[in-house]
Every structure is written in structure tokens, then in C-alpha cells.
Amino acid sequence: MTEPTTTTDFIRQIIAEDLASGKHDRIVTRFPPEPNGYLHIGHAKSICLNFEVAREHPGHTFLRFDDTNPGKERREYAEAIKDDVRWLGFDWGERLTHASDYFERLYEAAVTLIRNGDAYVDSLSADEIRSLRGTLTEAGQDSPHRDRRVEENLDLFARMRAGEFEDGAHVLRAKIDMASPNINLRDPALYRIRKQTHPRTGDSWSIYPMYDFAHTLSDAFEGITHSLCTLEFEDHRPLYEWFLDKLQPDHRPRQIEFARLSLAYTITSKRKLTELIEQDIVTGWDDPRLLTIAGMRRRGYPAAAIRELCSRVGITKKNALIELGVLENCVREVLGPVAPRVMGVLKPLKVVLTNYPEDQVEMMTAQNHPADPSMGTRELPFSREIYIEQTDFLEDAPRKFFRLKPGGEVRLRYAYIIRCEDVIKDDQGNVVELHCTYDPETRSGGPQSDRKVKGTIHWVSAAHAMPATVQLYDRLFRNARPGAGGDYHDDLNPESLEVIDNAMVEPGLADLGADDRVQFERIGYFALDQGQPGVFNRIVTLRDSWKKIEQQQLADS
Ligand code: ATP
Ligand code: MG
């Protein structure tokens, strides 16, 4: 697999020091998704970091499902996450785990906290607990249940587990400090009652652990050495440390935070992605306009391009909005050297070569990659009737228009120079056909092929071309920060998808495989949509048409 540009960063430096000093002799990391949606480009950054740092040293990485929230989690999501991580190029081997694997151990750890006077059952309602929590500037207040006796706490907690109480009747809270300046330390909840069926443990539990508690201990149980997470967890680190102090003094994973990946014109919040799907704004988690891993894969992005983006963006402590063009350039750079060139006409205009023999078919030799002769050549049928791109003809063309115009000449790639003799129109005055003549002396590769004309255009033979549907994707949002003005719906790009159902492509494309990617010369990179023959997704254009707008929007905001 193509390795991304390697770089170092502050996390890799810490890891190298920990190995050099003998603090660790192996590196153990984890990627801990919650199976409540599909993975997106932001997750890719975390996946690449966790798997790559472990691969750069003796070490390994766990794929751990943080499945502590049964109401929102589904098996479908867990399966999709595994597919996506694998597709990105990473392998967890035997190390697929779930927070739910540890439910019993987590319960015991909670009991230990209760026994040691470090946790208590609170019977206030969620609203009451919130109202006593205080604010950033004001200390919280103790719950009246904070000083419950250990026996009473143990009894209540056991009965919470046994399902004796309704949701919300009690919570188990850590007993830390209601006056702490860090709100995360104001007696955070450890367990809550949720009478919900869990995708893996079914109805065996009526209580579920909270994220911070489950996550810290799962890290410790798995011998994670470096627990790498995004910056919003920085304020949770003291709680992470508190759990380790109380419960796992011997094995201490180190939590290190890094900046999230945020891309312009993109939404990655799972809540908003779910909305886009439910409101039929996109067709599903794998809609090719979404920067979900499934969407990018379906669109035709190579995994190597996503890894390259993550590497290019790097690991820092500073949140920044990355131009979408950076990702698209990674896609172009990965596909450029390897994607075979082909010809496809998106909006066909028929051209009749009036001086070309009626029944003649010639085979024209085309290079599969002009810069890489080792990719070989193919034969393209050429005949009296061909299609060219509508946009390659202009009736009232400016002087600098070097494609086809009345009386003008252009070269057909790998074929002949033609001259436009006649423009055929329908009743409304639309151009429907061109009558041209070809110059038989100008066959590409032939003796007189150096007669020069300024323009070269692509074409397909009408009788041989394969009809195709082409899905042209563009940005889903036209504002670099969707929703910055309030509602992201206002920023939707009404032209994010154009479906062309009468394109014509060269006949060899009938054999394209589901994982193949090609460049339609002069147009962009394309792949089959979910392997359907004749249905093409535009992966990316050849050039970035948004660059100026994007830079302006980012500068303005
Ligand atoms: P979302 O905000 O999209 O709902 P999440 O963070 O709740 O995502 P999780 O499944 O909990 O989703 O994330 C799993 C891991 O991926 C976490 O360790 C999280 O830090 C990391 N992650 C999520 N989003 C990003 C991002 N934009 N950049 C880098 N890492 C991310
Ligand atoms: Mg999360």
C-alpha cells in the first residue's frame, strides 16, 4: 500500500522518548469509536495516528467499540466501522474489543470505589443534579445524598443493577469535589439506569457506565500505553487520572490530546449526518457527497489519499479549518500517476464526417497514460459519426477559442484533424449536429501528423460508444463553515449533484471493475458507482474550481 509522507509530531516524539527511556518497550494504542453512526474523515485522522504510531514501533492497536449507550448504538454501525477501518488499510488482528466486554469488571471497579468511600448513589433527578452543579465561575453544591453510608450505597447500587428502579431514579457518582474549578470533577456520574436492550449484552444490564469511567478503565485493562484523543478531552484528563489513581495505580496509560480534523464545506457531526439522511438531503451514510469513509469510498477516493491527507495535516494542538482542496489534491496526486486515461463525452454533440467512407471503421491507438508508456496502449474504433462534447463547439466563438467553431479546425485526440463545415439546428435554433470534414493526411502517429492546430478534443465513435450515466458531485455546502450563520440547511449547495443520463464513453469501459478508477481525459477522475456497469461517479475534477472562492471565504470568516 502507498505509504503516506512520513513526518514527526509531538505525540511521536513523546512515544520515541518513552521507548528510549525504557518506560515502555511496546506501544499500545486504541481507536475507540462509538457504534452510533458511520466513520468520517475526522475519525480517519485518529485511526491513522493510532494504527501508524503502533506500526512504527514494536506495538499494536486495539479497535474498541465504546458501546456504553445502547439506545443509539447498532450492529450495522459496528460492522460498517470495521469495514471502513480495514478499507483504510489497518488491521487490528485479534484485538477487537468492546467496552461491554468489561461490564462485569467495570461494575466491580465501581463497587471498589463505593467501598473506599469514593462513590455514592445519588437519588436526585437529572435536573436537580444539574442545578447543583454550579457554573464555570460558581462552585457546585453537595447533593443531600453525598454522605450516604457505604452499606446503603452498595445495597442501592446492587438493586440498580438488578433492575429494581426506573430510569433516572438514581445515579452512581464519583465523590470528588463539588467545588473543583474543573466541572468534570464535580462528582461526575459513573453509572446510570437505562432499561434498554444492548446490541451485545441484551437485557442483562439495567445500568450502563458513563463514557469517562468506561473509557479510562478499558484503556487500563488493555494495557494501552498512549491514549490519544482530541482536544475537547483535555478537561477530562484530571478525571482520567483520578480513576487511574483510585483503581489502577500500576498501569497508567497516558492521555495525550491533539487537534481534531475539520474540513471546510463539510459536516462531520454524527447527529447532523443522521439529520441529513433522515431529511433525505443525502441518500445515506455512503452518499458520495459526504466525507464519511463509506461516502468517500463509494465516490472513488483511494484510501491512500485519505491517509495522505491525514499525514499532510499532521498532529498538532491547534484546531484549524483545512481547505477541502487539500483533500482533493491528495486524491488527484494519488490517482494522477496510476489512473488509466480514457475518453468519455458527458454531453454529446453528434459530428458527421461527411467525407469519411460510410462503412469504414479504423482502430486508433491510444496511450493508456501519456506519462507512463509502461501502462500500454489500447485500440479505439473510429468511424464516420462521432460524438464530441457540446462545450467543445461554439458558434460565436471568441478569437482565443481553440476548440471547434464554424470553419475552424481541431484535432480529435489520437485521430484526425477535422474542419467544421456546417452547423445543423433544430426549430428552436439549438445546435443538434455538426457536419465536418476530416483530413486523411493527419492521422495521429502517421507521416503528416505534425500539421498543427491549436486545440485537441476528445470524442467517441457513435456506433461503438457505450451509453453511460454520470453522476457529477460537487460540494454539499457552498459555505466553508456550514451553519456559521445559524442553520446549515441555508448553506446547502443546490447543485451538489448533477446526473447526466445520456453520456457516451469509449467501449472498453464496459469491462471496468468495481475498484478501477480512470481519468476521463480533460474532465476528471471517475469510478463505477458501487460497481454498476455504465454508472460513473465523478471522483474529482482535474482542477480545483473552488480554490479562489474557498480562500476568500476562509479569509473573510
Ligand atoms: P462525532 O463528533 O462525529 O459524533 P465522536 O467523537 O462522538 O464523533 P466517536 O465514535 O466517539 O465519535 O469517536 C471515536 C474517536 O475518533 C474518538 O477518539 C475521537 O476523538 C476521534 N475523532 C472523532 N472526530 C474526530 C475528528 N474530527 N478529528 C480527529 N479525531 C476525531
Ligand atoms: Mg464520542
Side-chain angles (χ1 to χ4, degrees), residues 31-34 40 42-43 45-46 230 258 260-261 268-270:
F31 173 65
E34 182 178 359
H40 53 64
H43 293 117
K45 177 175 182 180
S46 175
T230 36
F258 61 94
R260 297 173 78 80
L261 175 58
T268 54
S269 139
K270 282 186 267 189

PDB file of all heavy atoms in Angstrom, residues 31-34 40 42-43 45-46 230 258 260-261 268-270, ligand 1:
ATOM      1  N   PHE A  31      -8.215   2.673  18.951  1.00  0.00           N
ATOM      2  CA  PHE A  31      -9.176   3.571  18.330  1.00  0.00           C
ATOM      3  C   PHE A  31     -10.544   3.193  18.891  1.00  0.00           C
ATOM      4  O   PHE A  31     -10.968   2.052  18.722  1.00  0.00           O
ATOM      5  CB  PHE A  31      -9.134   3.444  16.803  1.00  0.00           C
ATOM      6  CG  PHE A  31     -10.234   4.230  16.144  1.00  0.00           C
ATOM      7  CD1 PHE A  31     -10.260   5.611  16.238  1.00  0.00           C
ATOM      8  CD2 PHE A  31     -11.253   3.591  15.456  1.00  0.00           C
ATOM      9  CE1 PHE A  31     -11.293   6.343  15.670  1.00  0.00           C
ATOM     10  CE2 PHE A  31     -12.288   4.320  14.882  1.00  0.00           C
ATOM     11  CZ  PHE A  31     -12.313   5.687  14.992  1.00  0.00           C
ATOM     12  N   PRO A  32     -11.202   4.128  19.598  1.00  0.00           N
ATOM     13  CA  PRO A  32     -12.406   3.770  20.349  1.00  0.00           C
ATOM     14  C   PRO A  32     -13.713   4.383  19.821  1.00  0.00           C
ATOM     15  O   PRO A  32     -14.283   5.259  20.462  1.00  0.00           O
ATOM     16  CB  PRO A  32     -12.095   4.356  21.725  1.00  0.00           C
ATOM     17  CG  PRO A  32     -11.338   5.625  21.388  1.00  0.00           C
ATOM     18  CD  PRO A  32     -10.650   5.401  20.054  1.00  0.00           C
ATOM     19  N   PRO A  33     -14.198   3.959  18.658  1.00  0.00           N
ATOM     20  CA  PRO A  33     -15.418   4.569  18.142  1.00  0.00           C
ATOM     21  C   PRO A  33     -16.665   4.139  18.902  1.00  0.00           C
ATOM     22  O   PRO A  33     -16.719   3.016  19.415  1.00  0.00           O
ATOM     23  CB  PRO A  33     -15.501   4.048  16.707  1.00  0.00           C
ATOM     24  CG  PRO A  33     -14.825   2.710  16.778  1.00  0.00           C
ATOM     25  CD  PRO A  33     -13.714   2.881  17.777  1.00  0.00           C
ATOM     26  N   GLU A  34     -17.628   5.029  18.918  1.00  0.00           N
ATOM     27  CA  GLU A  34     -18.938   4.645  19.420  1.00  0.00           C
ATOM     28  C   GLU A  34     -19.767   4.172  18.217  1.00  0.00           C
ATOM     29  O   GLU A  34     -19.873   4.899  17.229  1.00  0.00           O
ATOM     30  CB  GLU A  34     -19.625   5.856  20.088  1.00  0.00           C
ATOM     31  CG  GLU A  34     -20.966   5.471  20.652  1.00  0.00           C
ATOM     32  CD  GLU A  34     -21.696   6.609  21.372  1.00  0.00           C
ATOM     33  OE1 GLU A  34     -21.156   7.734  21.456  1.00  0.00           O
ATOM     34  OE2 GLU A  34     -22.817   6.338  21.839  1.00  0.00           O
ATOM     35  N   HIS A  40     -16.156   9.049   9.746  1.00  0.00           N
ATOM     36  CA  HIS A  40     -15.959  10.127   8.784  1.00  0.00           C
ATOM     37  C   HIS A  40     -14.481  10.511   8.725  1.00  0.00           C
ATOM     38  O   HIS A  40     -13.645   9.937   9.417  1.00  0.00           O
ATOM     39  CB  HIS A  40     -16.858  11.316   9.137  1.00  0.00           C
ATOM     40  CG  HIS A  40     -16.726  11.801  10.560  1.00  0.00           C
ATOM     41  ND1 HIS A  40     -15.560  12.344  11.058  1.00  0.00           N
ATOM     42  CD2 HIS A  40     -17.614  11.815  11.591  1.00  0.00           C
ATOM     43  CE1 HIS A  40     -15.734  12.692  12.311  1.00  0.00           C
ATOM     44  NE2 HIS A  40     -16.981  12.369  12.678  1.00  0.00           N
ATOM     45  N   GLY A  42     -12.815  12.845   9.923  1.00  0.00           N
ATOM     46  CA  GLY A  42     -12.179  13.181  11.197  1.00  0.00           C
ATOM     47  C   GLY A  42     -11.706  11.931  11.917  1.00  0.00           C
ATOM     48  O   GLY A  42     -10.582  11.889  12.448  1.00  0.00           O
ATOM     49  N   HIS A  43     -12.551  10.908  11.917  1.00  0.00           N
ATOM     50  CA  HIS A  43     -12.133   9.640  12.528  1.00  0.00           C
ATOM     51  C   HIS A  43     -10.896   9.085  11.836  1.00  0.00           C
ATOM     52  O   HIS A  43     -10.050   8.459  12.478  1.00  0.00           O
ATOM     53  CB  HIS A  43     -13.252   8.607  12.445  1.00  0.00           C
ATOM     54  CG  HIS A  43     -14.456   8.934  13.274  1.00  0.00           C
ATOM     55  ND1 HIS A  43     -15.687   9.166  12.726  1.00  0.00           N
ATOM     56  CD2 HIS A  43     -14.617   9.071  14.611  1.00  0.00           C
ATOM     57  CE1 HIS A  43     -16.561   9.432  13.693  1.00  0.00           C
ATOM     58  NE2 HIS A  43     -15.943   9.395  14.846  1.00  0.00           N
ATOM     59  N   LYS A  45      -8.386  10.553  10.807  1.00  0.00           N
ATOM     60  CA  LYS A  45      -7.162  11.125  11.389  1.00  0.00           C
ATOM     61  C   LYS A  45      -6.761  10.342  12.632  1.00  0.00           C
ATOM     62  O   LYS A  45      -5.587  10.022  12.839  1.00  0.00           O
ATOM     63  CB  LYS A  45      -7.402  12.593  11.733  1.00  0.00           C
ATOM     64  CG  LYS A  45      -6.208  13.250  12.407  1.00  0.00           C
ATOM     65  CD  LYS A  45      -6.445  14.744  12.617  1.00  0.00           C
ATOM     66  CE  LYS A  45      -5.213  15.390  13.253  1.00  0.00           C
ATOM     67  NZ  LYS A  45      -5.414  16.838  13.463  1.00  0.00           N
ATOM     68  N   SER A  46      -7.745  10.045  13.459  1.00  0.00           N
ATOM     69  CA  SER A  46      -7.460   9.323  14.682  1.00  0.00           C
ATOM     70  C   SER A  46      -7.050   7.868  14.392  1.00  0.00           C
ATOM     71  O   SER A  46      -6.135   7.323  15.027  1.00  0.00           O
ATOM     72  CB  SER A  46      -8.706   9.392  15.574  1.00  0.00           C
ATOM     73  OG  SER A  46      -8.546   8.627  16.715  1.00  0.00           O
ATOM     74  N   THR A 230      -8.865  13.680  21.154  1.00  0.00           N
ATOM     75  CA  THR A 230      -8.955  15.034  20.622  1.00  0.00           C
ATOM     76  C   THR A 230      -9.039  16.059  21.760  1.00  0.00           C
ATOM     77  O   THR A 230      -9.332  15.722  22.905  1.00  0.00           O
ATOM     78  CB  THR A 230     -10.124  15.147  19.630  1.00  0.00           C
ATOM     79  OG1 THR A 230     -11.196  14.332  20.083  1.00  0.00           O
ATOM     80  CG2 THR A 230      -9.705  14.640  18.266  1.00  0.00           C
ATOM     81  N   PHE A 258      -4.837  15.880  20.873  1.00  0.00           N
ATOM     82  CA  PHE A 258      -4.411  16.551  19.637  1.00  0.00           C
ATOM     83  C   PHE A 258      -5.628  17.199  18.980  1.00  0.00           C
ATOM     84  O   PHE A 258      -6.772  16.881  19.333  1.00  0.00           O
ATOM     85  CB  PHE A 258      -3.736  15.560  18.676  1.00  0.00           C
ATOM     86  CG  PHE A 258      -4.643  14.439  18.230  1.00  0.00           C
ATOM     87  CD1 PHE A 258      -5.364  14.543  17.042  1.00  0.00           C
ATOM     88  CD2 PHE A 258      -4.786  13.302  19.007  1.00  0.00           C
ATOM     89  CE1 PHE A 258      -6.209  13.511  16.636  1.00  0.00           C
ATOM     90  CE2 PHE A 258      -5.632  12.273  18.614  1.00  0.00           C
ATOM     91  CZ  PHE A 258      -6.341  12.375  17.430  1.00  0.00           C
ATOM     92  N   ARG A 260      -8.587  18.175  16.490  1.00  0.00           N
ATOM     93  CA  ARG A 260      -9.489  17.476  15.582  1.00  0.00           C
ATOM     94  C   ARG A 260      -9.190  17.876  14.157  1.00  0.00           C
ATOM     95  O   ARG A 260      -8.674  18.963  13.902  1.00  0.00           O
ATOM     96  CB  ARG A 260     -10.944  17.900  15.824  1.00  0.00           C
ATOM     97  CG  ARG A 260     -11.522  17.598  17.135  1.00  0.00           C
ATOM     98  CD  ARG A 260     -12.907  18.230  17.251  1.00  0.00           C
ATOM     99  NE  ARG A 260     -13.918  17.462  16.544  1.00  0.00           N
ATOM    100  CZ  ARG A 260     -14.466  16.361  17.053  1.00  0.00           C
ATOM    101  NH1 ARG A 260     -14.104  15.917  18.230  1.00  0.00           N
ATOM    102  NH2 ARG A 260     -15.374  15.710  16.367  1.00  0.00           N
ATOM    103  N   LEU A 261      -9.572  17.035  13.242  1.00  0.00           N
ATOM    104  CA  LEU A 261      -9.527  17.400  11.833  1.00  0.00           C
ATOM    105  C   LEU A 261     -10.874  18.011  11.454  1.00  0.00           C
ATOM    106  O   LEU A 261     -11.919  17.398  11.672  1.00  0.00           O
ATOM    107  CB  LEU A 261      -9.265  16.152  10.985  1.00  0.00           C
ATOM    108  CG  LEU A 261      -9.309  16.353   9.472  1.00  0.00           C
ATOM    109  CD1 LEU A 261      -8.299  17.391   9.021  1.00  0.00           C
ATOM    110  CD2 LEU A 261      -9.048  15.030   8.768  1.00  0.00           C
ATOM    111  N   THR A 268     -19.324  16.906   9.894  1.00  0.00           N
ATOM    112  CA  THR A 268     -18.965  15.557  10.329  1.00  0.00           C
ATOM    113  C   THR A 268     -19.662  15.152  11.617  1.00  0.00           C
ATOM    114  O   THR A 268     -19.528  14.003  12.014  1.00  0.00           O
ATOM    115  CB  THR A 268     -17.437  15.398  10.521  1.00  0.00           C
ATOM    116  OG1 THR A 268     -16.990  16.402  11.405  1.00  0.00           O
ATOM    117  CG2 THR A 268     -16.699  15.475   9.208  1.00  0.00           C
ATOM    118  N   SER A 269     -20.387  16.046  12.239  1.00  0.00           N
ATOM    119  CA  SER A 269     -21.082  15.622  13.457  1.00  0.00           C
ATOM    120  C   SER A 269     -22.066  14.500  13.114  1.00  0.00           C
ATOM    121  O   SER A 269     -22.845  14.610  12.168  1.00  0.00           O
ATOM    122  CB  SER A 269     -21.817  16.822  14.047  1.00  0.00           C
ATOM    123  OG  SER A 269     -23.095  16.425  14.517  1.00  0.00           O
ATOM    124  N   LYS A 270     -22.001  13.420  13.896  1.00  0.00           N
ATOM    125  CA  LYS A 270     -22.872  12.288  13.580  1.00  0.00           C
ATOM    126  C   LYS A 270     -24.336  12.667  13.720  1.00  0.00           C
ATOM    127  O   LYS A 270     -25.182  12.165  12.987  1.00  0.00           O
ATOM    128  CB  LYS A 270     -22.527  11.090  14.475  1.00  0.00           C
ATOM    129  CG  LYS A 270     -21.270  10.365  13.983  1.00  0.00           C
ATOM    130  CD  LYS A 270     -21.001   9.102  14.764  1.00  0.00           C
ATOM    131  CE  LYS A 270     -20.074   9.381  15.907  1.00  0.00           C
ATOM    132  NZ  LYS A 270     -19.601   8.150  16.574  1.00  0.00           N
TER     133      LYS A 270
HETATM  134  P1  ATP B   1     -18.910  12.902  16.273  1.00  0.00           P
HETATM  135  O1  ATP B   1     -18.456  14.176  16.894  1.00  0.00           O
HETATM  136  O2  ATP B   1     -18.788  12.875  14.805  1.00  0.00           O
HETATM  137  O3  ATP B   1     -20.238  12.433  16.734  1.00  0.00           O
HETATM  138  P2  ATP B   1     -17.398  11.336  18.133  1.00  0.00           P
HETATM  139  O4  ATP B   1     -16.138  11.957  18.523  1.00  0.00           O
HETATM  140  O5  ATP B   1     -18.512  11.368  19.088  1.00  0.00           O
HETATM  141  O6  ATP B   1     -17.829  11.840  16.693  1.00  0.00           O
HETATM  142  P3  ATP B   1     -16.522   8.673  18.453  1.00  0.00           P
HETATM  143  O7  ATP B   1     -17.039   7.451  17.807  1.00  0.00           O
HETATM  144  O8  ATP B   1     -16.666   8.828  19.913  1.00  0.00           O
HETATM  145  O9  ATP B   1     -17.199   9.854  17.682  1.00  0.00           O
HETATM  146  O10 ATP B   1     -15.014   8.917  18.033  1.00  0.00           O
HETATM  147  C1  ATP B   1     -14.047   7.924  18.087  1.00  0.00           C
HETATM  148  C2  ATP B   1     -12.691   8.547  18.109  1.00  0.00           C
HETATM  149  O11 ATP B   1     -12.495   9.354  16.967  1.00  0.00           O
HETATM  150  C3  ATP B   1     -12.508   9.432  19.306  1.00  0.00           C
HETATM  151  O12 ATP B   1     -11.283   9.075  19.926  1.00  0.00           O
HETATM  152  C4  ATP B   1     -12.452  10.810  18.757  1.00  0.00           C
HETATM  153  O13 ATP B   1     -11.555  11.627  19.469  1.00  0.00           O
HETATM  154  C5  ATP B   1     -11.961  10.590  17.338  1.00  0.00           C
HETATM  155  N1  ATP B   1     -12.466  11.640  16.475  1.00  0.00           N
HETATM  156  C6  ATP B   1     -13.764  11.957  16.260  1.00  0.00           C
HETATM  157  N2  ATP B   1     -13.859  13.028  15.456  1.00  0.00           N
HETATM  158  C7  ATP B   1     -12.598  13.403  15.144  1.00  0.00           C
HETATM  159  C8  ATP B   1     -12.023  14.452  14.359  1.00  0.00           C
HETATM  160  N3  ATP B   1     -12.782  15.334  13.702  1.00  0.00           N
HETATM  161  N4  ATP B   1     -10.675  14.530  14.276  1.00  0.00           N
HETATM  162  C9  ATP B   1      -9.909  13.641  14.921  1.00  0.00           C
HETATM  163  N5  ATP B   1     -10.371  12.634  15.662  1.00  0.00           N
HETATM  164  C10 ATP B   1     -11.702  12.509  15.800  1.00  0.00           C
END
